[in-house]
């Protein structure tokens, strides 16, 4: 492929142990120039914001592209028709799905593997895994399905297994497995979508089943819960996880990732929620005032902007709709910003869409 | 700073729970404490006020009541009165609006409730206001009397300060007992007004209450609905429809849902001399209460063919908004509001790639924005807080196509047009569901006696009691002096 040396450069950058501020900046600006030149909708967006490679001097100045743009525009440097894989957003609320084009998954995979090894696998070489999510074959456009498949392929012992099929959770095979694991005293890892765990916990509660997975066992959940009072819900969630599966809350790791990114964030367990999330050296996060685009004061709430240097083909810098607070260790993720509740008596856009649906 | 809001009849002060609502703007903070009644207490309160409406309020003449309201309004128009000073001091912190916006807004709004305006209010609905006091002869024969509902419950919405006065004063004029529920966004003004009112006329002390509970608290609401004769609700269509589900069929329910308003600018008003003023007025309607009113504009339709093009006009509005921002800064926004605002703008910015004639002008720090569109098929309403759409049109008939999806939601139109066009455009817009047409620059201050959402202010709050002519004739037969 024509951009082989950019890929080589990124591989080397990610393979480093760490990077200085200057190194990060240099890599981010190189990537920005490349994306500005090759991703035409992004170039237009930058011009509209009055930003070009000549005026952008730091990674913080790179225009952050709202995640909605992945729905409206084709954000790809390479010809999208040649993409090795397209990850799509779940698109539950709106019909249009955001598309993230990957001409090659090599950078994505490298980013995932290095980071996952460090933040989840740790001292283990491999661990036996149970996956509470459909397989990559079933969901070829899901970045999470790919992520989990990669986890199993790289770090899962041979008897690792999926426990979700077309009909949902395969409860009994999973229970058999956990009973077996309890006896062997071999560490076990359960990974999957947060709501699958809720489903599992509900079933176990109904049956009055409690497991105590062997020491060294871990849980990884991701995705969170929409439309719930988050903090209360999280506390209850992790309490129940440790109660029914016998995994201490500090070994329950939450992964925060997005289809629009190629790198994930993790916490160091959920003893206390909300937990501090952080990422590896090739991704940096700002907490901004969404209207001005400027950083909020440290400790204030703001909207998260991620600059992910593994996002080489789309855009490196993304404006999310997630609210967070910057901390010494990374950031606290406080959840999705909801549209403001209408205060006045003028109609809000959301209401309007509802009204029109009724017509 | 601490403040007790709401109002309860004297003697209702035992064993009350209070709820504290906190407001923080920059360095200033206020704790507003407001009584939170139990279901039983609400039930007792309702019974008491209903009783007093009959026993006390209904004995006043409508003239007396208008005089009392007029004197109370005079208290609030007097900038040296403690009531006015408290409102001017606290409302900016509570609502986040600029001090000057509040000061000017209060005065212009309160002026519409002085005695002459209240008479206009009254005669708008009753040709003969004495109908509210005595049985009055009817042209068709017989007599009628207008009897206000005994207990009127108001569910007020938040963010235009002092807005509760419309329905509260309407309720007083028809001699209804009133219980108002304030919004947690602005819990202060209604109670403050009632305190002043009761100072002016202590006999009204047991006829009104201003309280708060969390919307959707069905247990508390149920104890009120069972006694209310009428409920006036302001809010989103969603919250109103959930209200309606719980209000008994025998209780009159008057919902005022959220609305969409817009402006129309004719090419006649767009020459180099007049356009500046037209743009200034358009911006004024945007700036007042940051488009939070039902009468605030979402978009302006601007006719092509004038000396100033619609695109130039849009830029002029942008300039005016920039000027206003210096003198009357926009309210501070919560993170949720900012995010909603940003998401809306992002959507607009991204759509430029498909609609190349579109133009977005905005303040770098996001204090205001003007989106200019032409050749567009459908329009999305504004996200408010000083964000406006300017849509170029060839002729006024086009407006109908644009606004037809919002037919049931339309309210005010601000117009800059010639006298001939005024009626032409009004006829066109009437067909599309608009209920109020006013001058550009006056959208946010409706005249006294306007028909809110096309309805009557007072007529909806009374029952007419008829004495038919036949009853009168029949009675004659039994007069002791019958021949």
């Amino acid at each position: 492929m024509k951009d082989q040396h950019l890929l080589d450069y990124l591989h080397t950058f990610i393979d480093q142990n760490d990077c200085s501020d200057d190194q990060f900046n240099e890599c981010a600006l190189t990537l920005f120039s490349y994306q500005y030149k090759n991703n035409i909708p992004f170039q237009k967006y930058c011009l509209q914001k009055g930003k070009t490679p000549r005026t952008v001097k730091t990674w913080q100045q790179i225009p952050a592209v709202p995640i909605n743009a992945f729905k409206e525009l084709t954000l790809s440097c390479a010809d999208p028709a040649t993409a090795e894989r397209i990850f799509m957003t779940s698109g539950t609320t709106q019909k249009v799905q955001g598309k993230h084009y990957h001409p090659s998954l090599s950078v994505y995979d490298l980013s995932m593997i290095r980071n996952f090894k460090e933040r989840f696998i740790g001292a283990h070489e491999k661990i036996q895994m149970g996956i509470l999510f459909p397989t990559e074959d079933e969901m070829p456009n899901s970045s999470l399905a790919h992520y989990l498949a990669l986890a199993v392929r790289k770090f899962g012992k041979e008897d690792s297994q999926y426990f979700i099929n077309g009909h949902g959770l395969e409860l009994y095979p999973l229970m058999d497995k956990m009973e077996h694991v309890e006896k062997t005293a071999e560490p076990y890892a359960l990974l999957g979508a947060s709501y699958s765990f809720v489903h599992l916990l509900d079933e176990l509660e109904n049956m009055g089943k409690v497991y105590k997975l062997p020491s060294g066992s871990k849980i990884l959940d991701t995705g969170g819960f929409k439309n719930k009072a988050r903090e209360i819900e999280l506390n209850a969630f992790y309490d129940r996880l440790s109660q029914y599966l016998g995994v201490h809350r500090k070994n329950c790791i939450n992964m925060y990732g997005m289809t629009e990114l190629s790198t994930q964030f993790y916490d160091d367990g959920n003893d206390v929620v909300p937990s501090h999330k952080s990422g590896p050296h090739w991704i940096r996060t700002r907490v901004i005032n969404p209207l001005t685009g400027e950083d909020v004061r440290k400790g204030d709430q703001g909207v998260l902007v991620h600059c992910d240097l593994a996002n080489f083909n789309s855009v490196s810098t993304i404006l999310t709709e997630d609210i967070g607070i910057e901390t010494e260790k990374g950031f606290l993720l406080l959840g999705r910003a909801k549209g403001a509740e209408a205060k006045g008596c003028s109609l809000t856009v959301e209401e309007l869409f509802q009204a029109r649906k009724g017509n | 700073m601490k403040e007790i809001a709401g109002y309860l009849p004297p003697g209702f002060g035992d064993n009350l729970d209070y709820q504290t609502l906190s407001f923080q703007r920059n360095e200033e903070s206020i704790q507003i404490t407001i009584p939170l009644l139990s279901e039983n207490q609400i039930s007792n309160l309702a019974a008491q006020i209903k009783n007093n409406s009959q026993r006390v309020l209904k004995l006043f003449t409508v003239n007396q009541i208008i005089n009392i309201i007029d004197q109370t309004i005079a208290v609030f128009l007097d900038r040296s009165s403690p009531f006015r000073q408290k409102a001017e001091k606290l409302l900016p912190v509570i609502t986040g609006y600029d001090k000057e916006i509040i000061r000017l807004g209060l005065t212009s709004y309160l002026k519409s409730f002085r005695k002459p305006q209240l008479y206009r209010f009254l005669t708008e609905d009753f040709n003969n206001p004495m109908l509210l006091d005595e049985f009055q002869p009817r042209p068709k024969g017989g007599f009628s009397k207008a009897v206000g509902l005994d207990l009127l419950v108001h569910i007020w919405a938040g963010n235009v300060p002092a807005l509760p006065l419309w329905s509260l004063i309407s309720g007083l004029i028809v001699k209804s007992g009133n219980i108002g529920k304030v919004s947690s966004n602005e819990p202060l003004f209604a109670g403050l007004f009632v305190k002043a009112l009761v100072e002016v006329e202590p006999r009204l002390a047991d006829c009104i209450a201003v309280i708060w509970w969390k919307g959707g608290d069905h247990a508390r609401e149920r104890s009120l609905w069972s006694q209310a004769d009428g409920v006036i609700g302001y809010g989103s269509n969603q919250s109103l429809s959930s209200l309606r589900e719980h209000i008994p069929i025998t209780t009159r329910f008057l919902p005022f849902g959220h609305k969409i308003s817009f402006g129309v600018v004719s090419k006649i008003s767009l020459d180099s001399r007049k356009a500046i003023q037209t743009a200034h007025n358009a911006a004024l309607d945007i700036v007042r209460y940051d488009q939070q009113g039902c009468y605030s504009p979402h978009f302006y339709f601007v006719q092509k063919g004038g000396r100033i093009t619609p695109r130039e006009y849009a830029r002029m509005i942008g300039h005016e908004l920039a000027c206003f921002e210096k003198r009357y800064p926009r309210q501070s926004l919560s993170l949720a509001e900012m995010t909603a605002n940003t998401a809306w703008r992002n959507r607009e910015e991204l759509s430029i790639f498909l609609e190349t004639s579109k133009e977005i002008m905005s303040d770098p720090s996001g204090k205001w924005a003007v989106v200019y569109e032409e050749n567009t098929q459908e329009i999305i309403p504004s996200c408010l807080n000083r964000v406006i759409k300017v849509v170029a049109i060839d002729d006024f008939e086009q407006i109908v196509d644009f606004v037809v999806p919002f037919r049931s939601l339309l309210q005010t139109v601000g117009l800059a047009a010639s006298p001939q066009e005024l009626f032409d455009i009004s006829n066109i817009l009437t067909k599309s569901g608009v209920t109020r047409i006013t001058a550009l620059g006056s959208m946010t201050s409706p005249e006294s006696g306007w028909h809110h959402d096309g309805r009557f202010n007072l007529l909806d709050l009374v029952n007419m009691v008829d004495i038919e002519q036949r009853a009168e004739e029949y009675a004659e037969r039994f007069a002791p002096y019958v021949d």
Side-chain angles (χ1 to χ4, degrees):
Chain A
M1 89 182 261
K2 66 172 179 171
D3 308 305
Q4 192 54 49
H5 86 256
L6 179 81
L7 289 184
D8 293 344
Y9 172 58
L10 289 173
H11 273 269
T12 318
F13 189 85
I14 290 172
D15 258 338
Q16 283 170 219
N17 280 331
D18 203 350
C19 74
S20 66
D21 290 351
D22 285 346
Q23 285 172 321
F24 186 87
N25 218 31
E26 191 194 324
C27 185
L29 294 179
T30 307
L31 199 53
F32 173 57
S33 294
Y34 170 79
Q35 291 172 345
Y36 182 87
K37 190 170 146 220
N38 295 297
N39 184 342
I40 300 308
F42 176 59
Q43 186 185 86
K44 283 194 197 168
Y45 183 77
C46 293
L47 285 171
Q48 199 180 301
K49 300 265 170 195
K51 300 280 179 71
T52 71
R54 287 166 65 96
T55 61
V56 170
K57 300 292 177 211
T58 67
W59 68 270
Q60 291 96 333
Q61 294 168 345
I62 298 171
V65 177
I67 49 168
N68 263 330
F70 283 81
K71 295 185 183 139
E72 316 263 340
L73 306 173
T74 303
L75 291 170
S76 180
C77 292
D79 177 2
T82 63
E84 177 186 339
R85 192 70 78 83
I86 305 169
F87 290 144
M88 298 190 196
T89 55
S90 53
T92 44
T93 44
Q94 279 162 324
K95 273 178 287 174
V96 195
Q97 290 180 290
K99 292 192 178 74
H100 194 181
Y101 299 91
H102 294 271
S104 145
L105 281 172
S106 70
V107 179
Y108 182 99
D109 290 357
L110 177 66
S111 164
M112 183 278 169
I113 291 165
R114 274 216 53 173
N115 197 18
F116 184 77
K117 161 93 182 117
E118 184 177 332
R119 302 300 294 270
F120 188 73
I121 296 297
H124 303 274
E125 192 62 28
K126 287 196 165 191
I127 187 167
Q128 195 181 167
M129 292 183 185
I131 306 295
L132 304 186
F133 201 76
T135 63
E136 208 174 3
D137 287 341
E138 279 173 273
M139 297 184 75
N141 294 118
S142 159
S143 57
L144 182 58
H146 176 70
Y147 167 96
L148 291 167
L150 203 54
V152 173
R153 199 154 70 230
K154 286 284 167 186
F155 303 102
K157 287 195 173 166
E158 241 171 54
D159 38 5
S160 295
Q161 209 177 331
Y162 278 77
F163 292 102
I164 299 257
N165 64 16
H167 306 291
L169 184 65
E170 290 177 315
L171 185 64
Y172 293 104
L174 175 58
M175 286 167 63
D176 291 346
K177 182 65 161 188
M178 289 197 291
E179 254 159 54
H180 174 72
V181 168
E182 266 184 340
K183 287 176 203 147
T184 62
E186 189 195 321
Y188 192 61
L190 270 178
L191 302 88
S194 310
Y195 58 79
S196 307
F197 281 101
V198 173
H199 191 55
L200 169 64
L201 290 170
D202 289 346
E203 296 285 358
L204 294 181
E205 189 175 338
N206 281 341
M207 288 187 283
K209 277 275 186 191
V210 174
Y211 294 92
K212 181 146 180 41
L213 296 178
S215 134
S217 294
K218 290 177 168 218
I219 287 173
L220 182 138
D221 79 289
T222 185
F225 319 97
K226 284 171 189 156
N227 308 323
K228 299 248 166 78
R230 200 173 163 90
E231 195 163 346
I232 302 165
E233 194 65 31
L234 279 184
N235 256 323
F237 175 67
Y238 289 111
D239 274 345
R240 288 175 80 206
L241 272 184
S242 69
Q243 182 188 342
Y244 286 99
L245 300 174
V247 177
H248 194 280
R249 279 178 60 159
K250 71 173 190 289
N251 295 320
C252 296
I253 312 287
N254 175 264
M255 184 274 274
Y256 162 56
M258 303 168 74
T259 303
E260 295 85 351
L261 292 177
S262 304
T263 302
Q264 298 79 31
F265 298 92
Y266 299 91
D267 53 40
D268 297 321
N270 280 278
D271 250 350
V272 180
V273 292
S275 57
H276 296 267
K277 297 274 189 295
S278 57
H281 68 261
W282 60 90
I283 191 166
R284 290 198 176 183
T285 298
R286 295 168 62 210
V287 182
I288 65 155
N289 170 326
L291 275 186
T292 63
E294 283 162 19
D295 289 9
V296 298
R297 279 183 306 189
K298 199 165 180 174
D300 283 359
Q301 289 191 16
V303 173
L304 301 180
V305 167
H306 305 301
C307 177
D308 179 7
L309 303 184
N311 246 15
F312 75 95
N313 181 56
S314 53
V315 290
S316 63
T317 310
I318 280 163
L319 171 64
T320 70
E321 291 170 358
D322 296 325
I323 294 201
I325 296 178
E326 189 188 342
T327 66
E328 290 301 329
K329 294 182 204 158
F331 56 89
L332 297 178
L333 180 64
L334 302 178
R336 175 64 62 102
K338 292 192 196 87
E341 178 87 348
K343 289 193 298 189
C345 44
S346 188
L347 197 88
T348 59
V349 181
E350 301 313 318
E351 264 191 290
L352 182 97
F353 284 130
Q354 278 176 7
R356 285 175 59 178
K357 260 185 247 155
N359 279 345
Chain B
M1 218 179 321
K2 286 204 165 92
E3 179 66 29
I4 295 181
Y7 173 85
L8 285 174
F12 207 86
D14 298 338
N15 300 323
L16 286 181
D17 278 340
Y18 287 88
Q19 172 82 25
T20 301
L21 305 165
S22 300
F23 298 88
Q24 171 89 40
R25 303 284 159 189
N26 303 326
E27 306 310 313
E28 288 182 278
S29 70
I30 299 182
Q31 315 285 325
I32 302 254
T33 308
I34 191 155
L36 181 65
L37 273 55
S38 68
E39 290 151 47
N40 249 337
Q41 286 169 327
I42 288 184
S43 190
N44 293 340
L45 178 73
Q48 185 181 341
I49 286 182
K50 198 166 177 166
N51 183 29
N52 285 324
S53 159
Q54 293 224 0
R55 218 171 42 81
V56 183
L57 247 174
K58 297 257 184 337
L59 305 184
F60 283 82
T61 65
V62 74
N63 265 327
Q64 287 173 311
I65 290 180
I66 282 187
N67 279 320
I68 296 163
I69 297 170
D70 182 56
Q71 286 170 47
T72 315
I73 290 292
V75 169
F76 279 92
L77 283 171
D78 173 8
R79 293 199 63 205
S80 66
S81 93
F83 285 105
R84 169 75 184 216
Q85 286 176 352
K86 186 173 274 182
E88 280 192 23
K89 189 171 171 204
L90 302 187
L91 286 178
V93 186
I94 293 173
T95 61
Y97 290 118
D98 177 62
K99 281 203 285 272
E100 280 295 281
I101 292 264
I102 298 259
R103 183 178 72 77
L104 296 172
L106 273 184
T107 301
S108 102
Y109 181 67
L110 289 162
K111 269 160 52 179
S112 56
F113 299 105
R114 291 169 299 171
K115 193 166 173 176
Q117 285 71 24
L118 290 175
Y119 277 121
R120 194 170 297 147
F121 221 121
L122 200 56
T123 47
E124 193 59 47
D125 282 15
F126 299 102
N127 286 328
N128 174 4
M130 282 178 69
L131 272 169
L132 285 161
D133 294 335
E134 304 280 353
F135 278 102
Q136 295 291 307
R138 303 297 286 168
K140 69 171 176 62
F143 288 76
S144 292
K145 183 177 178 180
V147 183
L149 303 176
D150 283 337
L151 179 59
L152 197 55
V153 176
H154 310 255
I155 306 294
W156 289 313
N159 229 35
V160 178
L163 207 61
L165 285 194
W166 273 115
S167 72
L168 180 60
I169 286 180
S170 302
L172 284 170
I173 291 177
V174 300
K175 308 179 197 177
S176 288
N178 294 281
I179 295 181
K181 172 194 176 294
V182 291
S183 149
S184 48
N185 286 319
E186 200 285 87
L188 179 80
F189 191 84
L192 203 58
F193 180 82
V194 175
K195 282 173 195 157
L197 184 87
V198 169
E199 272 191 17
V200 171
E201 178 47 77
R203 281 181 292 168
L204 295 184
D206 294 325
C207 305
I208 315 175
V210 176
I211 55 176
W212 180 84
W213 67 84
K214 195 161 173 48
D217 181 338
H218 296 312
R220 284 193 166 82
E221 289 174 352
R222 202 176 305 125
S223 54
L224 200 48
W225 303 154
S226 59
Q227 300 196 60
D229 301 292
V231 178
I232 303 184
Y234 297 88
S236 67
N237 287 341
Q238 200 186 350
S239 61
L240 290 175
S241 63
S242 114
L243 263 185
R244 179 160 65 184
E245 271 175 38
H246 295 94
I247 294 175
I249 194 76
T250 47
T251 302
R252 196 172 297 173
F253 180 49
L254 304 168
F256 292 97
H258 290 176
K259 293 289 167 181
I260 288 189
S261 296
F262 59 92
V264 177
V265 177
S266 145
K267 65 183 178 192
I268 286 185
S269 67
L270 292 181
D271 66 31
S272 48
R273 198 166 55 85
K274 300 193 190 98
I276 295 174
Q277 189 59 42
T278 317
H280 181 81
N281 288 341
L284 203 57
D285 281 335
I286 299 167
V287 167
R288 288 201 176 119
Y289 295 126
D290 302 335
Q291 295 164 287
Q292 297 293 322
C294 47
Y295 35 53
S296 299
H298 276 260
F299 17 78
Y300 287 121
F301 296 103
V302 182
Q303 193 183 22
K304 294 179 195 163
R307 286 284 179 80
I308 306 287
T309 65
R311 190 185 290 272
E312 286 162 338
Y313 182 69
R315 292 175 185 159
M316 289 168 78
I317 295 180
H319 172 73
E320 290 292 331
L321 289 174
C323 296
F324 273 123
E325 178 58 33
K326 291 209 168 61
R327 186 146 176 224
Y328 307 118
R330 190 203 60 204
Q331 61 171 331
S332 44
L333 301 183
S334 70
L335 193 55
E337 285 170 314
M338 275 193 246
T339 314
N341 207 301
T342 311
W344 189 93
R345 281 184 201 202
N346 286 335
R347 184 153 51 186
E348 290 297 320
E349 282 176 7
L350 293 171
S351 69
I352 288 192
F353 299 125
L354 301 171
E355 300 168 47
T356 44
S357 58
K358 200 169 194 168
E359 185 173 329
I360 301 176
M361 292 145 263
S362 77
D363 171 70
S365 57
K367 294 294 175 61
W368 56 266
V370 180
V371 177
Y372 171 77
E373 284 182 22
E374 55 185 36
N375 311 323
T376 177
Q377 297 303 311
E378 60 168 5
I379 44 176
I380 297 172
S382 158
C383 60
L384 312 179
N385 291 314
R386 303 199 184 179
V387 175
I388 193 81
K389 274 203 165 174
V390 172
V391 181
I393 54 167
D394 291 304
D395 56 68
F396 302 120
E397 291 282 350
Q398 268 178 279
I399 299 172
V400 177
D401 297 334
F402 281 120
V403 299
V404 87
F406 322 128
R407 187 185 168 83
S408 58
L409 305 167
L410 297 179
Q411 192 203 63
T412 294
V413 174
L415 211 54
S418 73
Q420 175 62 42
E421 287 171 331
L422 166 63
F423 285 95
D424 290 348
I425 297 172
S426 298
N427 280 322
I428 293 169
L429 295 179
T430 305
K431 281 185 274 178
S432 56
V434 161
T435 58
R436 172 176 170 248
I437 292 152
T438 186
L440 201 67
S442 301
M443 293 179 72
T444 62
S445 24
E447 282 174 359
S448 317
W450 73 308
H451 294 105
H452 187 180
D453 295 346
R455 301 289 314 180
F456 292 92
N457 291 298
L458 304 175
L459 275 180
D460 281 340
L461 306 182
V462 299
N463 284 321
M464 292 303 253
V465 181
D466 294 338
I467 300 176
E468 292 195 348
Q469 194 165 4
R470 274 171 299 191
E472 196 189 344
E473 286 161 4
Y474 195 55
E476 287 292 348
R477 292 206 222 167
F478 308 115
Y481 40 79
V482 70
D483 292 329

